Amino acid sequence: MIEQYVWDLHEIDETQVAIVGGKGAHLGGLSRIEGVRVPPGFCVTTEAFRRVMAEEPSIGEQLDRLSRLSPDDREAIGTLSAQIRRTIEGIAIPGDLAAAITRALARSGGQAAYAVRSSATAEDLPTASFAGQQDTYLNVVGPTAVLQHISRCWASLFTERAVTYRRRNGIDHRTVHMAVVVQQMVFPHAAGVLFTADPVTGNRKVATVDAGFGLGEALVSGLVNPDVFTVRDGEVVAKSIAAKQRAVHALPSGGTQEVAIDARRQGRPALTDAQVVRLVQLGRRIEAHFGHPQDIEWCLVDDDFRIVQSRPITTLFPIPETGDRENHVYVSVGHQQMMTDPMKPLGLSMWQLTAMVPMHEAGGRLFVDVTRRLAPPAGRAALLDLMGRGDPLVRDALETVLDRDDFVPTLPDAPPGGPPAGGASAPVETDPAVVAGLIERSRASVAALERDIRTKTGPALFDFLSEAFEEHKRVLRDPLSMSVIMAGMEATWWLNDKLWEWLGERNAADTLTLSAPDNVTSEMGLALLDVADVIRPHPEVVAFLQDVEDEGFLDELAKLPGGTEARDAIETYLDRYGMRCVGEIDITRPRWRERPTTLVPAILDNVRNFEPGAAGRRFEEGRRKAREKEQDVLSRLRALPDGDEKADEAKRMIDRVRTFIGYREYPKYGIVSRYFVYKQALLAEGERLVRAGVLPEREDIFYLTFQELHAVVRSHRVDDRLVRQRKDAFRSYRALTPPRVLTSDGEAVTGAYRRDDAPAGALIGLPVSAGTVEGRARVVLDMAEADLEAGDILVTTFTDPSWSPLFVGVAGLVTEVGGLMTHGAVIAREYGLPAVVGVEQATRLIRDGQRIRVHGTDGYVEIL
């Protein structure tokens, strides 16, 4: 059946990627949009490619070898991929297939010129564009040449760059097939690219047009700088016209060549403003059809635009769906919670169901809509102050948005008289018993949850959990708990502000909070030093742990001398802290209790780098430094005018900080403790669904929201396609960097520090823990792969509480994400580590092993 090999473009739409590849499907879809002109042509389908590949049995063995190569082994990939291309180009196209292609050419005038273009099944997808991975041939003249170039397109599925791209994106070479688009060649006056959203800022209301003379190859290949036009609301709002000295033109005999442009034409715009606006209107129509911002290749022929390609712009961060056309400003939850990785759907929905404020999902991350809080002047000032104290980049990004005329309309402040939102409670007494009572209430609540959930399964479990989420929020919303957290933070801010004003001392509270009591996160780091003390005297246990890979290693430990004590020490640690893990706000992430090998590198570092009893000594040393700092500050204050009054006030604030600042970490510990209980119950449901044949594996529940999982448990039916789509989407979200602030226009606003007090070349960040330290940078992206020596400086993207066991062994900290009161900052101060957070791209700009100097008081990092 010849029809399966050659399809006309007008027979195709965008749903037929498997038959005609991404480019062919998009061109077919484009050709159906009213008012969009696509050069006529046809597709040679993937079925033809499969048939040709089957003609040469040796290709299967070559693909097996290719799939075993590392994506970093460029030399081997280059050699083998070239061999595969030669094999494919050497296969004769079967006679009936060649005849079908020749007939299709005859329908459009056999000796016409054509563009012969690769169209793979893994390209121009919403999640990965694969732009430029396979080959295109322009101005191919005559049937013999077209057939030869179709073979070259098939072979280009195995260019070195395409093979490496697929390996890096986890795509199996055998699952990707190649179709070929053959279109009548157009000979344009001008050509270029239209982005229907700004590819740099992400703004969906701004379009950019790049234009040059002749064929678009001159722009794509970087031969010339294009004219660039920016269009907003139907008018050109900015343009830069380049001196275009070269162009690519078609040759009458076939192929293309570079030509010099007449000097008088070089500085002329390739398009008029009216043509640019008309092109953008065409682009908006195409964008509406496909439902995503598009990267569109166009040609201008006799004042008429021809569209030769359209693909989704895959680098844009998605926008939360609201269902309205109002302006919205969103702040990233991940930057507040120290977890900017994407979350799986179950994790997102569980955090939304247990959070204190409504949260919106986009790109696998959560955002809070702050538009209403920014509208009244008083609310705006309070929010900016709060955000600025935590993360100046968020404040600056919000101010950047507010500077845009009327994006956030100003509304009047609420009339005075009512109680503040949230019903602020009376000031709390500086009494350690208050903290002890709150901790006990939280523990009792978790214990009741563990006891009551044991008997719940099926739909009854979900009814129970819905009630448990209300208790979860009640514990979090406890006015006394809120008051204690705020009291500790406000006392810290007061001390830093006043001691700078009175004594000229910056960040004095950093030393005053050393070894504060009741900090469950800093205790967790010190407790792992105690585990190391148990293991250190037993060389066979240490040797065994160095080669551990299996999560069942704790059972094996008992067979070694000293192994029982080692196992008991680790088990005791896991009983207290095993619910923690990196990215712990996502319930789907593996906990230490589920993956205890994660802790082994940190335990071994502690065995190697510390002497017995280090935990107790570290805590006492911190207490001593805090006491000495307190005495020093108070004596210097007493020497000032009104000194006794100032010293008394400072003493009162120091007592409040010491009493309350440690509790700042406890609510998160309570949340994560509850999460582990929820997770174990939901995984047990997943097991039941696997046994009933509803799901292939229990972790598939992670790709359903809580509500969807509830429906699956009730009905025993699941949409397999939905789970597959969610897995693909999650993979694609990992390539996206979430912005601190996002607008409903799609603009990702990063913010800037606006400082000039650091040396040239220094990396600017936020000072969160005072002191200066110099040492070897260890860039660690996965806690389980940390290999730290005493004196090293930890450089990573973000640190949530689970990273604190590494803090005891390092001399300083640098992170890309963080604020003054986020967990990493609090623990760095507790341990006395100089720390700078919010250093943009720190893990890329600082190389592992480089010597760096961290200025924790002034907030910058020098690469030495």
Side-chain angles (χ1 to χ4, degrees), residues 425 428-429 431-446 471 474-487 518 659-660 662-664 666-667 669-670:
S425 56
V428 62
E429 289 295 312
D431 180 0
V434 173
V435 173
L438 284 169
I439 290 173
E440 189 43 51
R441 266 151 63 184
S442 176
R443 279 183 188 151
S445 177
V446 173
E471 165 67 4
R474 189 195 63 71
V475 171
L476 279 185
R477 220 182 262 125
D478 182 341
L480 184 58
S481 177
M482 300 282 223
S483 297
V484 165
I485 291 169
M486 286 312 298
D518 297 314
T659 302
F660 295 138
Y663 178 73
R664 163 82 180 73
Y666 202 87
Y669 176 78

Side-chain angles (χ1 to χ4, degrees), residues 761 763 772-779 789-793 795 811 814 845-855 861-864:
L763 307 181
T772 301
V773 67
E774 189 179 306
R776 177 179 68 160
R778 295 315 308 261
V779 180
E789 299 284 349
D792 284 347
I793 296 168
V795 180
V814 179
L845 298 172
I846 300 170
R847 289 198 312 277
D848 188 53
Q850 276 185 319
R851 283 197 75 74
I852 62 173
R853 187 180 297 130
V854 177
H855 295 263
V861 180
E862 291 178 283
I863 299 175
L864 303 178

Side-chain angles (χ1 to χ4, degrees), residues 383-433:
L383 183 69
L384 290 175
D385 183 54
L386 186 67
M387 292 292 175
R389 285 190 180 276
D391 182 345
L393 291 178
V394 174
R395 176 177 183 138
D396 187 77
L398 289 173
E399 287 176 332
T400 302
V401 175
L402 290 168
D403 286 344
R404 312 262 162 78
D405 291 342
D406 299 330
F407 190 84
V408 178
T410 301
L411 298 174
D413 287 311
S425 56
V428 62
E429 289 295 312
T430 308
D431 180 0

Side-chain angles (χ1 to χ4, degrees), residues 260-291:
I261 294 176
D262 180 274
R264 286 166 303 184
R265 278 186 71 215
Q266 287 177 8
R268 287 185 197 159
L271 297 177
T272 66
D273 283 10
Q275 286 171 330
V276 170
V277 170
R278 185 151 49 91
L279 175 61
V280 170
Q281 287 168 347
L282 207 55
R284 291 285 176 228
R285 201 175 299 168
I286 293 167
E287 177 185 69
H289 175 82
F290 288 119

Side-chain angles (χ1 to χ4, degrees), residues 46 49-50 53 120-123 130 134 157-158 166 171-178:
T46 53
F49 170 77
R50 282 194 197 89
M53 291 286 275
T121 52
E123 73 175 343
F130 287 75
Q134 285 86 219
L157 191 61
F158 297 98
R166 284 197 295 272
I171 294 168
D172 181 351
H173 303 302
R174 290 171 180 279
T175 63
V176 183
H177 303 291
M178 181 68 86

Side-chain angles (χ1 to χ4, degrees), residues 112-113 269 531 612 757:
V531 172
D757 58 348

